[in-house]
Amino acid sequence: MKHLISPLDLSVSELEDILRLADDILSDKKKYSDICHGKKLATLFYEPSTRTRLSFEAAMLNLGGSVLGFSSADSSSAAKGESVADTIRVISSYADICAMRHPKEGAPFVASTYSSIPVINAGDGGHNHPTQTLTDLFTISKLKGRLDNLKIGFCGDLKFGRTVHSLINAMVRYENIHFVLISPDELKIPAYLREEVLDANHISYEEVKNLEAVLPDLDLLYMTRVQKERFFNEEDYIRLKDSFILDAKKMSLAKEDMLVLHPLPRVNEIATEVDTDKRAVYFKQAELGVYVRMALIMKLLEVA
Amino acid sequence: MKHLISPLDLSVSELEDILRLADDILSDKKKYSDICHGKKLATLFYEPSTRTRLSFEAAMLNLGGSVLGFSSADSSSAAKGESVADTIRVISSYADICAMRHPKEGAPFVASTYSSIPVINAGDGGHNHPTQTLTDLFTISKLKGRLDNLKIGFCGDLKFGRTVHSLINAMVRYENIHFVLISPDELKIPAYLREEVLDANHISYEEVKNLEAVLPDLDLLYMTRVQKERFFNEEDYIRLKDSFILDAKKMSLAKEDMLVLHPLPRVNEIATEVDTDKRAVYFKQAELGVYVRMALIMKLLEVA
Amino acid sequence: MKHLISPLDLSVSELEDILRLADDILSDKKKYSDICHGKKLATLFYEPSTRTRLSFEAAMLNLGGSVLGFSSADSSSAAKGESVADTIRVISSYADICAMRHPKEGAPFVASTYSSIPVINAGDGGHNHPTQTLTDLFTISKLKGRLDNLKIGFCGDLKFGRTVHSLINAMVRYENIHFVLISPDELKIPAYLREEVLDANHISYEEVKNLEAVLPDLDLLYMTRVQKERFFNEEDYIRLKDSFILDAKKMSLAKEDMLVLHPLPRVNEIATEVDTDKRAVYFKQAELGVYVRMALIMKLLEVA
C-alpha cells in the first residue's frame, strides 16, 4: 500500500489494521503526538472543502507534523495550465505525503502514478472519497462494536451521493449485511451498483420510498442531503422532501440503539431537534474522522 | 470565562489579569515559547482580515502551538449552506480554541453556545471586535502607564467605527475619563452610546467638529478612517475631510506626550509624515496586539 | 545583506556562500532540521503562485520554523487600500522574515525600506524573481559542477521571461560564458539587456531562430514557455511554435551531458516524452530550489 485512491484499495485486513490503529490513537493521543515530527503533509485542494481539508490538517498536526498547501484552484498553478502530473512531481520534493481533492474524476489516480510520495484521494468529483468511507467504517465499528450483521438504511440522494456508493462497496465485504435503500424514484442508486455490486454478490437489499415504514428495523441510518436541483420541478421536490427529513417524531420509531450517521454538511435533512438525541452520532463521526486519518497517514508514511 | 464575544465579557479585574500577563510575556518571550505545544488554534475567517488573522496566528505560533483554518467564506463549507452551529461543533474536534470573524452580527456568539472549545470573536459585522479593544487597552496601559485620568480624543467616523464604540464602553469603567468626540455631524456617535453609556454613567464628554482646537488638551488621540461612502455627496466629503486628517502641522499643537493610536489599516487620515513622530504609536499598537492575544489564548486554554 | 530584492544584490562571493550552504544542507538535512525553531516566515503573496509559495514554506518548515501569510490579494488588507509600507511595518511584528510576491514592480523594494525584518522578493511583476535565479544557479553548479565555461542556450520567450533576464544578468559575472539566444524575432531579448549587459561587458552571444541547429553545441538548455498571446496572429504562432518545442527527436541531437532546465510551470514547450531523459532536470531543479531557499533564509536570519 502506497497510495489511497479508492476505498477498495484496502483489503479487509489492511482496513482492520487502520481501524485498530485509529482506536489505539484515540485511547492514547499522547503516545502519537510526535510520531510525524519533521514530516510534511501537502493539502492540494483544487476544489474547496473546509471540513475534509481541516480534518487532514488536524490529523497531521496531532501527529507532530506540519502542513502546507492550497485551498482552491485559483491560488494554484493549475490556473497557469500546469498538469496534475507536473504539480505532483514538484510537490513530491516539498512534502512527505499529500491529500488531493480535485473536481475531475481520476485526477488523484493520475497524480499517484507520477508521485514519489503517498497520495490520498480526498475526493475526486462524484467518484471516490475514501477517507470518508474510512471515517464511516470507524464510526460503525467503534460505536456499534461490529461491521457485520447489520441492517443499514441509506436515505436521501442515493443516485449522486458518492459517500453512499463507497460505503455500500465497502460494507458488502462483511457477513450478513442487509441494505434498506430509501429514496424517491428519481434518486435511486445507479444501475451498475445494483447489478454489479449488490446482485452480483447476492447481497440482501430492498428499495423503498418511505423512511418511517422501515425505521423500526434499522441498526444504522445513513442520511444524505436531498438537493432541490436534482428534481425536475419544484412541486416534486416539495411533495417528496418531507418523507426524507429526519425529525424527533420519526426518531421515536427507531430502535434504542439505532445510530444516525451523516457525512456532513447537513442542510435541513435532519431537523436540529435530533442533534440532542444520543443516537445522533454525526458530530462524533466527524471527530472520529480525524483519528482514522491519523492512522492512515501513519500507515502510508510507514511510521506505524 | 470560557469565550470572548464582547469586550465587556471581561471584568475589570479579569482584564487587568490579561494585561499583566501580556506584559510579562513581552518581558520574557522565551518563557512562554512552548506553553501551547500540541494545542491548535482554528482561524475561521468568513470575511478576510489579514491583520487580525495573522496577529492571532503569530500569537499561537509564538506560544509553540499550531494553526489551521480558512481565510474567506468561499473556501469554507458555509458556501454549501452549513450553519455556524454545525461548523463549530465539527471544528471543536479539530482544534483546541478558535478565532472567528463573521460578517453577521452575533455569529460568534451563536457559535460559542454550541462550541466545546473557547471561541474568540475576531469581529462580527459592525458589532464587536474585542481583541482590538484589548490591544487598545494594553497599548494605553503600557505606553501611558495608566488607564484612568485620561483625556481621550476620538476622531473621524464615530458613527460606524466599532473599535471606537468598544473602546468607549471599556474606558468608562475607569476613573476620571474625559472623552472628546471629534467628527462631522454626519458621523457622530450613535444615540444609544451617548444616552445609555455616557449619560447614564455620568461620563464627562464633549462633541466637537474641529480637531485642531482640542488637540492641545488631549492625552490620547484615537484616529479612525473617514470613508467617502459615508457622505451624502462628494462636496461634503471634500469640504470636511481635511479637518480630520492628522498631519505634522496639527501634531505640533499637541502635548509632548500625547499618543496617537489607530486600529489600522490607515488610508490617508494620518499623513505619512506623522509616522516618524515618536508620539505616533499605531505600529507599536499592532505589535502589542500580538502579546495581548497570546495572553488571551493562554487564559482561555487555562495554561496561564 | 539584509534583504534580497534583485539577484544582483548578492556578490559572487555571497552567492557562493549560499550555494555552499545549500549543498551542505542537501548532504545532511538532519543537521539543520531545527535551526529556525521559533522563527516565523510570512508569505505575502499579492498574486498567487503555488510553486514559489510552497517552496518557501517547505524550506522554512524543513528548518523547524513556522509559517503564516496569505496566498492572494483578496484575502489581504490591500483590498482595504493599505499601502505595502504599512503592511510590512505590521508584518514586521508578526514574523521574523518575509517572502513577498507582488504584481507591481518595485513593491518588495519599497517594503524592504520600511521593514524591520528581512524581505525576500518572491517575484515582482515582470521584474525580478531572485530565488528562481538562485535555484537555477544552484542547479547548474550542482549538476554541471561549475558556473563558468558554459555554452548556455535560452529558448522561447526571451522578451518577457524575467527568469531568463535574471539568469543572464547573473551568469555574465562568470568566466567564459557563451549565450545562444533562441527565439522568434518577436520574442528576442530586450535591447537594454543586449546593449547594457551583453555588449557592455563584451559577452559572447548569438541570436538564432532555430533550436535544432544549435542544440549539438550546448552545455545547458534553459527552456521557457511561448505564450500564444505574445503573437500578433494565430498563424504566426502555429508556424513558429514547433521550432521551439523540445521533444525526444530534438534531444537526440544534444550532447550526452547537456542539461535541460525550465523554471516551471511547463505547458507544452517540452514534450512529456522528454521527462524520462536523464538530461531533463527541471523537476530536480524544483527540488533544489527548496534547499537554496533554506540556505537563503538561514543567511538572512543570521543563523548560518
Side-chain angles (χ1 to χ4, degrees), chain A residues 40 68-70 74-77 80 82 86 89-91 93-94, chain C residues 48 50-51 53-55 58 62 264-267 275 283 287 290:
Chain A
K40 284 161 288 155
L68 46 79
F70 52 85
D74 354 312
S75 55
S76 85
S77 290
K80 295 181 194 161
E82 185 175 65
D86 278 16
R89 277 183 284 198
V90 173
I91 295 295
S93 50
Y94 293 176
Chain C
T50 312
R51 184 184 320 285
R53 183 172 59 82
L54 296 187
S55 181
N62 285 347
L264 304 180
R266 164 253 312 259
V267 180
D275 296 353
F283 294 118
E287 181 191 338
V290 177

PDB file of all heavy atoms in Angstrom, chain A residues 40 68-70 74-77 80 82 86 89-91 93-94, chain C residues 48 50-51 53-55 58 62 264-267 275 283 287 290:
ATOM      1  N   LYS A  40       5.943  16.474   6.502  1.00  0.00           N
ATOM      2  CA  LYS A  40       5.035  17.499   5.981  1.00  0.00           C
ATOM      3  C   LYS A  40       3.914  16.898   5.130  1.00  0.00           C
ATOM      4  O   LYS A  40       4.182  16.069   4.266  1.00  0.00           O
ATOM      5  CB  LYS A  40       5.829  18.502   5.116  1.00  0.00           C
ATOM      6  CG  LYS A  40       6.665  19.489   5.923  1.00  0.00           C
ATOM      7  CD  LYS A  40       7.742  20.115   5.040  1.00  0.00           C
ATOM      8  CE  LYS A  40       8.810  19.087   4.731  1.00  0.00           C
ATOM      9  NZ  LYS A  40       9.549  19.333   3.489  1.00  0.00           N
ATOM     10  N   LEU A  68       1.364  22.194   4.578  1.00  0.00           N
ATOM     11  CA  LEU A  68       1.392  23.289   3.605  1.00  0.00           C
ATOM     12  C   LEU A  68       0.404  22.933   2.507  1.00  0.00           C
ATOM     13  O   LEU A  68      -0.056  21.794   2.432  1.00  0.00           O
ATOM     14  CB  LEU A  68       2.801  23.530   3.045  1.00  0.00           C
ATOM     15  CG  LEU A  68       3.643  22.332   2.578  1.00  0.00           C
ATOM     16  CD1 LEU A  68       3.232  21.853   1.211  1.00  0.00           C
ATOM     17  CD2 LEU A  68       5.108  22.748   2.553  1.00  0.00           C
ATOM     18  N   GLY A  69       0.044  23.900   1.653  1.00  0.00           N
ATOM     19  CA  GLY A  69      -0.886  23.560   0.578  1.00  0.00           C
ATOM     20  C   GLY A  69      -1.707  24.721   0.096  1.00  0.00           C
ATOM     21  O   GLY A  69      -1.389  25.883   0.372  1.00  0.00           O
ATOM     22  N   PHE A  70      -2.751  24.388  -0.658  1.00  0.00           N
ATOM     23  CA  PHE A  70      -3.662  25.430  -1.118  1.00  0.00           C
ATOM     24  C   PHE A  70      -5.093  24.936  -0.981  1.00  0.00           C
ATOM     25  O   PHE A  70      -5.356  23.738  -0.949  1.00  0.00           O
ATOM     26  CB  PHE A  70      -3.355  25.874  -2.558  1.00  0.00           C
ATOM     27  CG  PHE A  70      -3.261  24.771  -3.571  1.00  0.00           C
ATOM     28  CD1 PHE A  70      -4.400  24.272  -4.194  1.00  0.00           C
ATOM     29  CD2 PHE A  70      -2.028  24.227  -3.911  1.00  0.00           C
ATOM     30  CE1 PHE A  70      -4.307  23.265  -5.141  1.00  0.00           C
ATOM     31  CE2 PHE A  70      -1.924  23.205  -4.863  1.00  0.00           C
ATOM     32  CZ  PHE A  70      -3.066  22.723  -5.478  1.00  0.00           C
ATOM     33  N   ASP A  74      -7.799  28.558  -7.782  1.00  0.00           N
ATOM     34  CA  ASP A  74      -7.310  29.866  -8.268  1.00  0.00           C
ATOM     35  C   ASP A  74      -5.978  30.219  -7.660  1.00  0.00           C
ATOM     36  O   ASP A  74      -5.204  30.947  -8.240  1.00  0.00           O
ATOM     37  CB  ASP A  74      -8.245  31.037  -7.958  1.00  0.00           C
ATOM     38  CG  ASP A  74      -9.529  30.605  -7.346  1.00  0.00           C
ATOM     39  OD1 ASP A  74     -10.129  29.668  -7.894  1.00  0.00           O
ATOM     40  OD2 ASP A  74      -9.936  31.202  -6.315  1.00  0.00           O
ATOM     41  N   SER A  75      -5.734  29.745  -6.444  1.00  0.00           N
ATOM     42  CA  SER A  75      -4.448  30.096  -5.848  1.00  0.00           C
ATOM     43  C   SER A  75      -3.404  29.030  -6.172  1.00  0.00           C
ATOM     44  O   SER A  75      -2.378  28.953  -5.539  1.00  0.00           O
ATOM     45  CB  SER A  75      -4.599  30.335  -4.343  1.00  0.00           C
ATOM     46  OG  SER A  75      -5.189  29.245  -3.707  1.00  0.00           O
ATOM     47  N   SER A  76      -3.649  28.220  -7.187  1.00  0.00           N
ATOM     48  CA  SER A  76      -2.676  27.193  -7.563  1.00  0.00           C
ATOM     49  C   SER A  76      -2.154  27.403  -8.982  1.00  0.00           C
ATOM     50  O   SER A  76      -2.664  28.230  -9.728  1.00  0.00           O
ATOM     51  CB  SER A  76      -3.321  25.813  -7.490  1.00  0.00           C
ATOM     52  OG  SER A  76      -3.997  25.514  -8.692  1.00  0.00           O
ATOM     53  N   SER A  77      -1.162  26.628  -9.357  1.00  0.00           N
ATOM     54  CA  SER A  77      -0.580  26.736 -10.704  1.00  0.00           C
ATOM     55  C   SER A  77      -1.486  26.140 -11.766  1.00  0.00           C
ATOM     56  O   SER A  77      -1.210  26.286 -12.959  1.00  0.00           O
ATOM     57  CB  SER A  77       0.763  26.021 -10.758  1.00  0.00           C
ATOM     58  OG  SER A  77       1.706  26.718 -10.010  1.00  0.00           O
ATOM     59  N   LYS A  80      -2.394  28.327 -14.404  1.00  0.00           N
ATOM     60  CA  LYS A  80      -1.424  28.585 -15.470  1.00  0.00           C
ATOM     61  C   LYS A  80      -1.326  27.418 -16.446  1.00  0.00           C
ATOM     62  O   LYS A  80      -0.432  27.370 -17.272  1.00  0.00           O
ATOM     63  CB  LYS A  80      -0.050  28.878 -14.872  1.00  0.00           C
ATOM     64  CG  LYS A  80      -0.006  30.157 -14.040  1.00  0.00           C
ATOM     65  CD  LYS A  80       1.395  30.424 -13.495  1.00  0.00           C
ATOM     66  CE  LYS A  80       1.375  31.482 -12.404  1.00  0.00           C
ATOM     67  NZ  LYS A  80       2.568  31.446 -11.562  1.00  0.00           N
ATOM     68  N   GLU A  82      -0.844  24.120 -15.719  1.00  0.00           N
ATOM     69  CA  GLU A  82       0.042  23.015 -15.371  1.00  0.00           C
ATOM     70  C   GLU A  82      -0.762  21.726 -15.168  1.00  0.00           C
ATOM     71  O   GLU A  82      -1.859  21.742 -14.625  1.00  0.00           O
ATOM     72  CB  GLU A  82       0.796  23.342 -14.088  1.00  0.00           C
ATOM     73  CG  GLU A  82       1.816  22.278 -13.734  1.00  0.00           C
ATOM     74  CD  GLU A  82       2.656  22.677 -12.519  1.00  0.00           C
ATOM     75  OE1 GLU A  82       2.102  22.797 -11.422  1.00  0.00           O
ATOM     76  OE2 GLU A  82       3.874  22.860 -12.701  1.00  0.00           O
ATOM     77  N   ASP A  86       2.645  17.163 -13.484  1.00  0.00           N
ATOM     78  CA  ASP A  86       3.776  18.045 -13.186  1.00  0.00           C
ATOM     79  C   ASP A  86       3.692  18.564 -11.748  1.00  0.00           C
ATOM     80  O   ASP A  86       4.691  18.613 -11.040  1.00  0.00           O
ATOM     81  CB  ASP A  86       3.813  19.241 -14.160  1.00  0.00           C
ATOM     82  CG  ASP A  86       4.464  18.888 -15.493  1.00  0.00           C
ATOM     83  OD1 ASP A  86       4.612  17.675 -15.781  1.00  0.00           O
ATOM     84  OD2 ASP A  86       4.821  19.812 -16.248  1.00  0.00           O
ATOM     85  N   ARG A  89       4.812  16.031  -9.206  1.00  0.00           N
ATOM     86  CA  ARG A  89       6.251  15.777  -9.203  1.00  0.00           C
ATOM     87  C   ARG A  89       7.003  16.862  -8.449  1.00  0.00           C
ATOM     88  O   ARG A  89       7.997  16.596  -7.780  1.00  0.00           O
ATOM     89  CB  ARG A  89       6.779  15.627 -10.641  1.00  0.00           C
ATOM     90  CG  ARG A  89       6.529  14.192 -11.114  1.00  0.00           C
ATOM     91  CD  ARG A  89       7.083  13.965 -12.497  1.00  0.00           C
ATOM     92  NE  ARG A  89       6.209  14.583 -13.498  1.00  0.00           N
ATOM     93  CZ  ARG A  89       6.239  14.264 -14.788  1.00  0.00           C
ATOM     94  NH1 ARG A  89       7.084  13.372 -15.229  1.00  0.00           N
ATOM     95  NH2 ARG A  89       5.414  14.847 -15.635  1.00  0.00           N
ATOM     96  N   VAL A  90       6.504  18.092  -8.539  1.00  0.00           N
ATOM     97  CA  VAL A  90       7.136  19.172  -7.775  1.00  0.00           C
ATOM     98  C   VAL A  90       6.805  19.032  -6.290  1.00  0.00           C
ATOM     99  O   VAL A  90       7.683  19.115  -5.427  1.00  0.00           O
ATOM    100  CB  VAL A  90       6.690  20.545  -8.317  1.00  0.00           C
ATOM    101  CG1 VAL A  90       7.206  21.653  -7.428  1.00  0.00           C
ATOM    102  CG2 VAL A  90       7.196  20.730  -9.742  1.00  0.00           C
ATOM    103  N   ILE A  91       5.514  18.802  -6.005  1.00  0.00           N
ATOM    104  CA  ILE A  91       5.090  18.671  -4.602  1.00  0.00           C
ATOM    105  C   ILE A  91       5.826  17.518  -3.911  1.00  0.00           C
ATOM    106  O   ILE A  91       6.109  17.573  -2.721  1.00  0.00           O
ATOM    107  CB  ILE A  91       3.556  18.457  -4.539  1.00  0.00           C
ATOM    108  CG1 ILE A  91       2.821  19.707  -5.055  1.00  0.00           C
ATOM    109  CG2 ILE A  91       3.101  18.115  -3.116  1.00  0.00           C
ATOM    110  CD1 ILE A  91       2.998  20.951  -4.221  1.00  0.00           C
ATOM    111  N   SER A  93       8.777  16.934  -3.943  1.00  0.00           N
ATOM    112  CA  SER A  93      10.004  17.369  -3.271  1.00  0.00           C
ATOM    113  C   SER A  93       9.742  18.435  -2.202  1.00  0.00           C
ATOM    114  O   SER A  93      10.664  18.898  -1.555  1.00  0.00           O
ATOM    115  CB  SER A  93      11.069  17.831  -4.271  1.00  0.00           C
ATOM    116  OG  SER A  93      10.538  18.739  -5.188  1.00  0.00           O
ATOM    117  N   TYR A  94       8.482  18.783  -2.016  1.00  0.00           N
ATOM    118  CA  TYR A  94       8.131  19.761  -0.970  1.00  0.00           C
ATOM    119  C   TYR A  94       7.560  19.078   0.275  1.00  0.00           C
ATOM    120  O   TYR A  94       7.596  19.641   1.358  1.00  0.00           O
ATOM    121  CB  TYR A  94       7.063  20.744  -1.472  1.00  0.00           C
ATOM    122  CG  TYR A  94       7.473  21.698  -2.562  1.00  0.00           C
ATOM    123  CD1 TYR A  94       6.544  22.572  -3.121  1.00  0.00           C
ATOM    124  CD2 TYR A  94       8.789  21.764  -3.032  1.00  0.00           C
ATOM    125  CE1 TYR A  94       6.897  23.463  -4.117  1.00  0.00           C
ATOM    126  CE2 TYR A  94       9.138  22.647  -4.033  1.00  0.00           C
ATOM    127  CZ  TYR A  94       8.192  23.491  -4.579  1.00  0.00           C
ATOM    128  OH  TYR A  94       8.542  24.375  -5.570  1.00  0.00           O
TER     129      TYR A  94
ATOM    130  N   PRO C  48      -1.168  34.992  -6.823  1.00  0.00           N
ATOM    131  CA  PRO C  48      -0.978  33.582  -6.478  1.00  0.00           C
ATOM    132  C   PRO C  48       0.244  32.976  -7.163  1.00  0.00           C
ATOM    133  O   PRO C  48       0.556  33.321  -8.296  1.00  0.00           O
ATOM    134  CB  PRO C  48      -2.247  32.900  -6.996  1.00  0.00           C
ATOM    135  CG  PRO C  48      -3.217  33.987  -7.292  1.00  0.00           C
ATOM    136  CD  PRO C  48      -2.409  35.201  -7.595  1.00  0.00           C
ATOM    137  N   THR C  50       1.572  29.034  -6.493  1.00  0.00           N
ATOM    138  CA  THR C  50       1.681  27.871  -5.625  1.00  0.00           C
ATOM    139  C   THR C  50       3.106  27.398  -5.469  1.00  0.00           C
ATOM    140  O   THR C  50       3.581  27.176  -4.363  1.00  0.00           O
ATOM    141  CB  THR C  50       0.910  26.688  -6.220  1.00  0.00           C
ATOM    142  OG1 THR C  50      -0.353  27.157  -6.594  1.00  0.00           O
ATOM    143  CG2 THR C  50       0.751  25.598  -5.178  1.00  0.00           C
ATOM    144  N   ARG C  51       3.756  27.210  -6.606  1.00  0.00           N
ATOM    145  CA  ARG C  51       5.084  26.605  -6.557  1.00  0.00           C
ATOM    146  C   ARG C  51       6.032  27.410  -5.680  1.00  0.00           C
ATOM    147  O   ARG C  51       6.656  26.881  -4.767  1.00  0.00           O
ATOM    148  CB  ARG C  51       5.642  26.494  -7.961  1.00  0.00           C
ATOM    149  CG  ARG C  51       6.992  25.794  -8.039  1.00  0.00           C
ATOM    150  CD  ARG C  51       7.488  25.832  -9.470  1.00  0.00           C
ATOM    151  NE  ARG C  51       6.357  25.608 -10.341  1.00  0.00           N
ATOM    152  CZ  ARG C  51       5.795  24.423 -10.520  1.00  0.00           C
ATOM    153  NH1 ARG C  51       6.295  23.380  -9.906  1.00  0.00           N
ATOM    154  NH2 ARG C  51       4.748  24.302 -11.295  1.00  0.00           N
ATOM    155  N   ARG C  53       5.399  29.828  -3.492  1.00  0.00           N
ATOM    156  CA  ARG C  53       4.973  29.935  -2.092  1.00  0.00           C
ATOM    157  C   ARG C  53       5.254  28.641  -1.342  1.00  0.00           C
ATOM    158  O   ARG C  53       5.847  28.642  -0.261  1.00  0.00           O
ATOM    159  CB  ARG C  53       3.480  30.278  -2.020  1.00  0.00           C
ATOM    160  CG  ARG C  53       2.977  30.482  -0.595  1.00  0.00           C
ATOM    161  CD  ARG C  53       1.542  31.015  -0.549  1.00  0.00           C
ATOM    162  NE  ARG C  53       0.575  30.158  -1.195  1.00  0.00           N
ATOM    163  CZ  ARG C  53      -0.001  29.083  -0.632  1.00  0.00           C
ATOM    164  NH1 ARG C  53       0.286  28.760   0.607  1.00  0.00           N
ATOM    165  NH2 ARG C  53      -0.876  28.359  -1.309  1.00  0.00           N
ATOM    166  N   LEU C  54       4.866  27.516  -1.916  1.00  0.00           N
ATOM    167  CA  LEU C  54       5.052  26.251  -1.210  1.00  0.00           C
ATOM    168  C   LEU C  54       6.530  25.895  -1.065  1.00  0.00           C
ATOM    169  O   LEU C  54       6.926  25.274  -0.082  1.00  0.00           O
ATOM    170  CB  LEU C  54       4.281  25.128  -1.905  1.00  0.00           C
ATOM    171  CG  LEU C  54       2.754  25.291  -1.907  1.00  0.00           C
ATOM    172  CD1 LEU C  54       2.091  24.042  -2.478  1.00  0.00           C
ATOM    173  CD2 LEU C  54       2.203  25.585  -0.523  1.00  0.00           C
ATOM    174  N   SER C  55       7.339  26.325  -2.019  1.00  0.00           N
ATOM    175  CA  SER C  55       8.774  26.077  -1.913  1.00  0.00           C
ATOM    176  C   SER C  55       9.347  26.824  -0.704  1.00  0.00           C
ATOM    177  O   SER C  55      10.134  26.272   0.072  1.00  0.00           O
ATOM    178  CB  SER C  55       9.469  26.525  -3.199  1.00  0.00           C
ATOM    179  OG  SER C  55      10.848  26.277  -3.137  1.00  0.00           O
ATOM    180  N   ALA C  58       7.939  25.046   2.458  1.00  0.00           N
ATOM    181  CA  ALA C  58       8.660  23.796   2.703  1.00  0.00           C
ATOM    182  C   ALA C  58      10.039  24.096   3.282  1.00  0.00           C
ATOM    183  O   ALA C  58      10.484  23.455   4.236  1.00  0.00           O
ATOM    184  CB  ALA C  58       8.779  22.993   1.418  1.00  0.00           C
ATOM    185  N   ASN C  62      11.232  22.825   6.857  1.00  0.00           N
ATOM    186  CA  ASN C  62      12.408  21.947   6.928  1.00  0.00           C
ATOM    187  C   ASN C  62      13.437  22.423   7.949  1.00  0.00           C
ATOM    188  O   ASN C  62      14.221  21.635   8.452  1.00  0.00           O
ATOM    189  CB  ASN C  62      13.115  21.880   5.563  1.00  0.00           C
ATOM    190  CG  ASN C  62      12.371  21.032   4.566  1.00  0.00           C
ATOM    191  OD1 ASN C  62      11.454  20.298   4.920  1.00  0.00           O
ATOM    192  ND2 ASN C  62      12.763  21.135   3.301  1.00  0.00           N
ATOM    193  N   LEU C 264       9.412  26.157 -14.778  1.00  0.00           N
ATOM    194  CA  LEU C 264       8.082  25.620 -14.490  1.00  0.00           C
ATOM    195  C   LEU C 264       7.129  26.739 -14.045  1.00  0.00           C
ATOM    196  O   LEU C 264       7.588  27.742 -13.553  1.00  0.00           O
ATOM    197  CB  LEU C 264       8.127  24.510 -13.439  1.00  0.00           C
ATOM    198  CG  LEU C 264       9.043  23.303 -13.731  1.00  0.00           C
ATOM    199  CD1 LEU C 264       8.955  22.304 -12.583  1.00  0.00           C
ATOM    200  CD2 LEU C 264       8.643  22.613 -15.033  1.00  0.00           C
ATOM    201  N   PRO C 265       5.832  26.639 -14.227  1.00  0.00           N
ATOM    202  CA  PRO C 265       5.148  25.507 -14.847  1.00  0.00           C
ATOM    203  C   PRO C 265       5.408  25.404 -16.343  1.00  0.00           C
ATOM    204  O   PRO C 265       5.506  26.412 -17.035  1.00  0.00           O
ATOM    205  CB  PRO C 265       3.676  25.810 -14.587  1.00  0.00           C
ATOM    206  CG  PRO C 265       3.604  27.292 -14.444  1.00  0.00           C
ATOM    207  CD  PRO C 265       4.896  27.691 -13.819  1.00  0.00           C
ATOM    208  N   ARG C 266       5.485  24.167 -16.817  1.00  0.00           N
ATOM    209  CA  ARG C 266       5.665  23.853 -18.225  1.00  0.00           C
ATOM    210  C   ARG C 266       4.257  23.648 -18.799  1.00  0.00           C
ATOM    211  O   ARG C 266       3.394  23.058 -18.120  1.00  0.00           O
ATOM    212  CB  ARG C 266       6.467  22.546 -18.288  1.00  0.00           C
ATOM    213  CG  ARG C 266       6.442  21.846 -19.658  1.00  0.00           C
ATOM    214  CD  ARG C 266       5.588  20.573 -19.734  1.00  0.00           C
ATOM    215  NE  ARG C 266       5.714  19.565 -18.713  1.00  0.00           N
ATOM    216  CZ  ARG C 266       6.412  18.445 -18.846  1.00  0.00           C
ATOM    217  NH1 ARG C 266       7.083  18.214 -19.939  1.00  0.00           N
ATOM    218  NH2 ARG C 266       6.413  17.552 -17.871  1.00  0.00           N
ATOM    219  N   VAL C 267       4.009  24.130 -19.995  1.00  0.00           N
ATOM    220  CA  VAL C 267       2.734  23.809 -20.610  1.00  0.00           C
ATOM    221  C   VAL C 267       2.949  22.771 -21.711  1.00  0.00           C
ATOM    222  O   VAL C 267       2.781  21.585 -21.478  1.00  0.00           O
ATOM    223  CB  VAL C 267       1.948  25.044 -21.068  1.00  0.00           C
ATOM    224  CG1 VAL C 267       0.627  24.646 -21.695  1.00  0.00           C
ATOM    225  CG2 VAL C 267       1.661  25.949 -19.870  1.00  0.00           C
ATOM    226  N   ASP C 275      10.579  13.896 -20.357  1.00  0.00           N
ATOM    227  CA  ASP C 275      10.685  13.835 -18.894  1.00  0.00           C
ATOM    228  C   ASP C 275      11.560  12.676 -18.397  1.00  0.00           C
ATOM    229  O   ASP C 275      12.214  12.784 -17.358  1.00  0.00           O
ATOM    230  CB  ASP C 275       9.296  13.708 -18.239  1.00  0.00           C
ATOM    231  CG  ASP C 275       8.425  14.935 -18.496  1.00  0.00           C
ATOM    232  OD1 ASP C 275       8.925  15.930 -19.069  1.00  0.00           O
ATOM    233  OD2 ASP C 275       7.238  14.902 -18.118  1.00  0.00           O
ATOM    234  N   PHE C 283      12.564  18.908 -12.880  1.00  0.00           N
ATOM    235  CA  PHE C 283      11.927  18.563 -11.593  1.00  0.00           C
ATOM    236  C   PHE C 283      12.960  18.536 -10.464  1.00  0.00           C
ATOM    237  O   PHE C 283      12.684  18.958  -9.350  1.00  0.00           O
ATOM    238  CB  PHE C 283      11.155  17.238 -11.694  1.00  0.00           C
ATOM    239  CG  PHE C 283       9.968  17.329 -12.622  1.00  0.00           C
ATOM    240  CD1 PHE C 283       9.880  16.541 -13.763  1.00  0.00           C
ATOM    241  CD2 PHE C 283       8.943  18.231 -12.368  1.00  0.00           C
ATOM    242  CE1 PHE C 283       8.797  16.641 -14.629  1.00  0.00           C
ATOM    243  CE2 PHE C 283       7.852  18.341 -13.227  1.00  0.00           C
ATOM    244  CZ  PHE C 283       7.785  17.539 -14.363  1.00  0.00           C
ATOM    245  N   GLU C 287      13.252  20.755  -6.913  1.00  0.00           N
ATOM    246  CA  GLU C 287      13.661  20.203  -5.618  1.00  0.00           C
ATOM    247  C   GLU C 287      14.828  21.004  -5.038  1.00  0.00           C
ATOM    248  O   GLU C 287      14.816  21.364  -3.860  1.00  0.00           O
ATOM    249  CB  GLU C 287      14.079  18.740  -5.807  1.00  0.00           C
ATOM    250  CG  GLU C 287      14.493  18.064  -4.512  1.00  0.00           C
ATOM    251  CD  GLU C 287      15.160  16.702  -4.759  1.00  0.00           C
ATOM    252  OE1 GLU C 287      14.937  16.108  -5.847  1.00  0.00           O
ATOM    253  OE2 GLU C 287      15.915  16.267  -3.876  1.00  0.00           O
ATOM    254  N   VAL C 290      14.205  24.289  -3.058  1.00  0.00           N
ATOM    255  CA  VAL C 290      13.896  24.273  -1.624  1.00  0.00           C
ATOM    256  C   VAL C 290      15.172  24.460  -0.801  1.00  0.00           C
ATOM    257  O   VAL C 290      15.197  25.232   0.161  1.00  0.00           O
ATOM    258  CB  VAL C 290      13.193  22.956  -1.218  1.00  0.00           C
ATOM    259  CG1 VAL C 290      12.949  22.911   0.284  1.00  0.00           C
ATOM    260  CG2 VAL C 290      11.874  22.789  -1.970  1.00  0.00           C
TER     261      VAL C 290
END
